[in-house]
Amino acid sequence: MQRLELTWIGKGEEPKVEPRILLHDSSKDYGDSDTDNILIHGDNLLALKALEQQYSGQVKCIYIDPPYNTGEAFDEYDDNLEHSIWLHLMYSRLSLLKNLLSEDGVIFVQLNDEEMNYCKVIMDEIFGRKNFINLVAVKTKNSSGASGGGEDRKLKKNIEFILCYGNPMFKKFNPVYTTTELSKYLENMRENGVSFKYTMVFTNLGERTYYKTIMDGSGNDIVIYAHSGYETKSVRQLAKEDDISEIEAFNKYYEYVCTTENAQTSIRSRVQEATDTEDNLYSIDYYPVSGRNKGKLTTVHFVGRNKRLVSWFKNVCVKERGYIFKKEKVGSLWNDLNWNNVNREGGVVFSGGKKPEVLIQRILELATEPGDIVLDSFLGSGTTAAVALKMRRRWIGIEMGNHAYTLCQPRLNSIINGTDDTGISKDADWQGGSGYKFYELAPTLIIKDGHGNPVFSDKYNVEMLVAAVAKLNGFIYSPDVECFWKQGISQGNSYIYVTTQYLTAKELDDIARDMPEFEKLLICAPAFDTGLSKRYENIDVRKIPQSLLSKCEYGVESYNLNIVNPPEFNEEECDDVE
């Protein structure tokens, strides 16, 4: 069946990206040496491909803030990409990001209106239209808008958009709330002609006595109590009687302010059937089987002839420093985030592209829990990694160019030291700690010699070469300390052995003699005796580098691995190899 999709020049010709190894540069590590956090310097398409083998299906939340393709040129990066090129580059990256996302993971992509609609169409294709969750509108800091002042036909741009997609197992966001001081909240409601429903106060809940026990749908007890002598008054009535303001009355009777709701729940239906139709108050004790109070002993009140559910004001508010703040669940319009001090955050300057920490905080609150893995492949000034640190999430950050050194590292180091008091530091009660490991992308594995023949790059030492060849063949580099030919492992009982020496029949026979029948082995060698490739059914012998040439494209550095126990990055050693 023909499908509906967006097309552009070059679509279907996505690059066969080389899965390079990642070289651990321990001299640039910082903080806790046992950390799982990693900072990668290098092209993000190559880096994502390098991560694919180890982190496929492991990342809970991805946030990216890619170049917007606005035609502007900032000091830190070139944002002027032709439309088809932009789509081509984003399609390749989003495809790899999808592979890294966990089954219940969520991806957030922030853009303005230049490419947002086009990006949504390609994300529908990659992630599935049914997995689209929300389009969030974010009010940004004030901007000067388009050029030309009053003569320009465009309105000032003061919002950006976040496309949000979830993988099939994603259920729902964590509850996150915004808060408004009560007096301001009530004033806004009056201005909009909306009545406030929390106006009733239980001045006396009466005497609570056992009434009867019934069962919920799972056969668990619901214990019902009757309340005699209960009394209610309105907030306005109490304010008048006490000669205080309405806000003071809300403060004074905060614990007992409520409203009633005609909730359609099985629990309420069971209480209605088990009680009377008089204007009485009942309460129940039970253990909810779902929701925020799942498994906890919970008390709920029902009042009136229809036994309407009593909803307490204190459950939708917070009280701090003598003030009441009304909570509202976060929706798809984020116009409450503070951008005023974004340029100061982290002590680094990133003109035109820096996002406030509170923005990333909200995203991580919605989509993650402490310990989850967060990834940002357009790390910029390091905001996502900074917030992940402060919120006790694990993270992977990728940044090309000098930003990794001049922006990300200084910012993250100060957070780990506990000297950064900007952004969400106070809200997160951040005192310092954690750390990260630093990685560089290895150079391309295969180059052409002076005669145009493919050869291994002289930038690779033997250990790096083994790790790279293993990765290209789908094996995880993990040398066995006791068995020299078990250098990497794949699914089941499959192993790889990479040698830079000529392989003889005797050497192969020796290996085969030591191999159990249920194991399989791939041997990669530059040359070997005739007939070895078919000598044993469970041993596959291939010639390198020839057998690797079709796996990907080599030598590409302008798409603008993670090895277990990888070799340390040593610039002098790479330069001295002959």
Side-chain angles (χ1 to χ4, degrees):
M1 179 182 292
Q2 187 177 10
R3 66 177 182 178
L4 184 66
E5 64 180 69
L6 180 68
T7 189
W8 58 86
I9 298 171
K11 186 175 183 183
E13 301 173 6
E14 284 71 38
K16 295 176 67 176
V17 182
E18 178 185 1
R20 300 189 188 182
I21 60 173
L22 292 172
L23 301 177
H24 182 200
D25 186 353
S26 58
S27 69
K28 294 185 177 67
D29 290 353
Y30 205 82
D32 183 4
S33 60
D34 293 327
T35 182
D36 292 327
N37 303 324
I38 62 175
L39 176 59
I40 303 171
H41 172 237
D43 177 88
N44 60 9
L45 189 60
L46 287 166
L48 289 172
K49 189 64 178 178
L51 292 168
E52 189 176 35
Q53 185 182 57
Q54 181 176 349
Y55 287 94
S56 180
Q58 300 299 311
V59 178
K60 186 64 179 293
C61 177
I62 296 171
Y63 168 84
I64 59 171
D65 177 30
Y68 289 178
N69 204 15
T70 60
E72 301 175 7
F74 300 108
D75 291 339
E76 288 83 4
Y77 60 80
D78 182 4
D79 202 25
N80 188 13
L81 297 174
E82 194 274 336
H83 181 58
S84 288
I85 297 175
W86 190 92
L87 291 169
H88 191 69
L89 295 177
M90 287 300 297
Y91 191 89
S92 298
R93 285 156 175 77
L94 288 168
S95 297
L96 284 173
L97 288 168
K98 171 136 187 351
N99 294 339
L100 296 172
L101 200 61
S102 66
E103 291 184 347
D104 61 346
V106 188
I107 181 171
F108 299 82
V109 180
Q110 184 157 352
L111 296 163
N112 68 2
D113 54 8
E114 297 290 339
E115 299 286 0
M116 184 276 294
N117 292 292
Y118 300 97
C119 188
K120 185 183 186 305
V121 176
I122 61 176
M123 291 186 75
D124 282 347
E125 180 179 336
I126 294 169
F127 292 89
R129 188 171 181 178
K130 64 182 179 181
N131 293 317
F132 169 71
I133 301 174
N134 277 113
L135 175 65
V136 176
V138 181
K139 185 180 184 300
T140 65
K141 60 184 177 181
N142 292 330
S143 63
S144 58
S147 60
E151 297 178 357
D152 197 288
R153 64 179 182 174
K154 295 183 180 181
L155 298 173
K156 180 178 69 174
K157 294 184 179 182
N158 57 4
I159 63 168
E160 292 179 1
F161 303 94
I162 300 178
L163 288 163
C164 179
Y165 284 74
N167 262 350
M169 296 299 291
F170 170 77
K171 299 298 183 184
K172 63 179 180 179
F173 288 125
N174 300 323
V176 176
Y177 299 89
T178 60
T179 58
T180 306
E181 198 275 317
L182 183 60
S183 61
K184 184 177 180 180
Y185 183 85
L186 293 177
E187 182 181 348
N188 290 338
M189 294 195 73
R190 293 188 188 101
E191 289 177 354
N192 292 309
V194 180
S195 59
F196 190 57
K197 62 182 181 179
Y198 290 93
T199 58
M200 187 169 83
V201 180
F202 273 96
T203 54
N204 186 350
L205 284 170
E207 183 179 351
R208 188 187 196 223
T209 56
Y210 174 76
Y211 184 75
K212 70 169 61 171
T213 298
I214 59 176
M215 302 292 180
D216 65 13
S218 300
N220 301 313
D221 287 349
I222 301 176
V223 183
I224 304 177
Y225 297 88
H227 292 249
S228 59
Y230 77 93
E231 297 176 355
T232 64
K233 292 183 179 180
S234 70
V235 171
R236 184 171 296 179
Q237 182 180 359
L238 289 169
K240 185 176 180 180
E241 289 179 1
D242 295 348
D243 193 22
I244 56 179
S245 69
E246 186 178 25
I247 296 298
E248 288 172 326
F250 274 110
N251 266 286
K252 182 175 180 179
Y253 298 98
Y254 178 75
E255 294 289 332
Y256 303 102
V257 177
C258 65
T259 188
T260 61
E261 299 180 17
N262 189 28
Q264 302 301 312
T265 68
S266 61
I267 296 295
R268 180 185 171 219
S269 297
R270 294 174 189 277
V271 172
Q272 285 177 314
E273 293 173 1
T275 56
D276 56 42
T277 58
E278 301 299 318
D279 189 12
N280 290 326
L281 173 67
Y282 290 89
S283 63
I284 64 170
D285 287 348
Y286 78 116
Y287 291 89
V289 296
S290 62
R292 64 181 179 181
N293 291 326
K294 179 180 178 181
K296 300 177 182 177
L297 180 62
T298 302
T299 300
V300 178
H301 293 78
F302 299 91
V303 70
R305 297 182 183 277
N306 294 320
K307 302 303 173 284
R308 291 171 63 89
L309 174 67
V310 176
S311 295
W312 298 102
F313 181 57
K314 61 186 176 182
N315 292 335
V316 296
C317 295
V318 291
K319 194 173 184 180
E320 298 175 354
R321 306 180 306 279
Y323 292 93
I324 298 173
F325 295 86
K326 180 67 171 63
K327 296 191 299 183
E328 291 288 329
K329 264 192 174 181
V330 166
S332 58
L333 173 61
W334 296 0
N335 60 357
D336 60 313
L337 302 176
N338 188 349
W339 290 68
N340 291 339
N341 297 313
V342 65
N343 289 332
R344 291 184 55 251
E345 290 184 351
V348 296
V349 177
F350 188 53
S351 60
K354 198 174 185 184
K355 299 300 185 287
E357 290 191 9
V358 289
L359 172 64
I360 309 302
Q361 179 186 35
R362 176 164 296 175
I363 287 171
L364 298 193
E365 285 177 340
L366 283 168
T368 68
E369 300 291 345
D372 286 340
I373 299 177
V374 177
L375 183 147
D376 187 344
S377 55
F378 293 87
L379 193 56
S381 64
T383 302
T384 301
V387 174
L389 269 174
K390 295 175 184 179
M391 293 180 67
R392 284 82 176 174
R393 273 66 169 168
R394 293 180 289 164
W395 56 267
I396 301 170
I398 304 169
E399 182 53 43
M400 63 186 299
N402 288 328
H403 304 166
Y405 310 126
T406 61
L407 300 179
C408 299
Q409 280 199 289
R411 182 175 189 173
L412 297 172
N413 293 356
S414 65
I415 293 171
I416 293 166
N417 290 337
T419 57
D420 174 42
D421 60 357
T422 63
I424 68 165
S425 294
K426 183 176 180 181
D427 186 54
D429 190 27
W430 182 253
Q431 305 294 324
S434 192
Y436 63 85
K437 293 177 180 175
F438 194 96
Y439 292 86
E440 298 277 1
L441 277 169
T444 189
L445 176 63
I446 298 176
I447 60 175
K448 295 290 183 68
D449 65 11
H451 303 286
N453 298 314
V455 295
F456 288 125
S457 169
D458 60 5
K459 296 294 184 183
Y460 279 72
N461 60 29
V462 173
E463 190 175 6
M464 291 166 60
L465 177 63
V466 172
V469 174
K471 191 175 188 70
L472 279 162
N473 282 285
F475 289 80
I476 297 174
Y477 176 71
S478 181
D480 190 298
V481 295
E482 296 180 354
C483 185
F484 75 92
W485 49 265
K486 289 184 176 182
Q487 298 172 330
I489 188 169
S490 184
Q491 294 181 351
N493 297 296
S494 296
Y495 299 90
I496 189 171
Y497 170 47
V498 181
T499 177
T500 59
Q501 306 299 315
Y502 186 93
L503 180 69
T504 67
K506 181 182 182 305
E507 290 170 329
L508 182 60
D509 292 340
D510 290 341
I511 292 174
R513 193 177 302 113
D514 293 337
M515 278 185 63
E517 292 184 0
F518 59 85
E519 292 184 348
K520 294 182 179 180
L521 178 64
L522 170 62
I523 299 179
C524 297
F528 43 85
D529 285 346
T530 303
L532 294 194
S533 59
K534 298 180 179 180
R535 194 177 184 90
Y536 295 98
E537 288 187 2
N538 62 338
I539 300 179
D540 182 10
V541 182
R542 299 178 188 175
K543 189 174 183 179
I544 53 173
Q546 285 76 9
S547 63
L548 303 174
L549 296 180
S550 63
K551 292 186 177 295
C552 59
E553 55 187 21
Y554 300 91
V556 180
E557 305 292 342
S558 57
Y559 288 124
N560 98 265
L561 274 148
N562 211 345
I563 310 169
V564 178
N565 299 319
E568 297 296 311
F569 179 67
N570 188 313
E571 293 182 0
E572 292 183 0
E573 182 179 41
C574 286
D575 292 339
D576 291 342
V577 173
E578 296 182 355

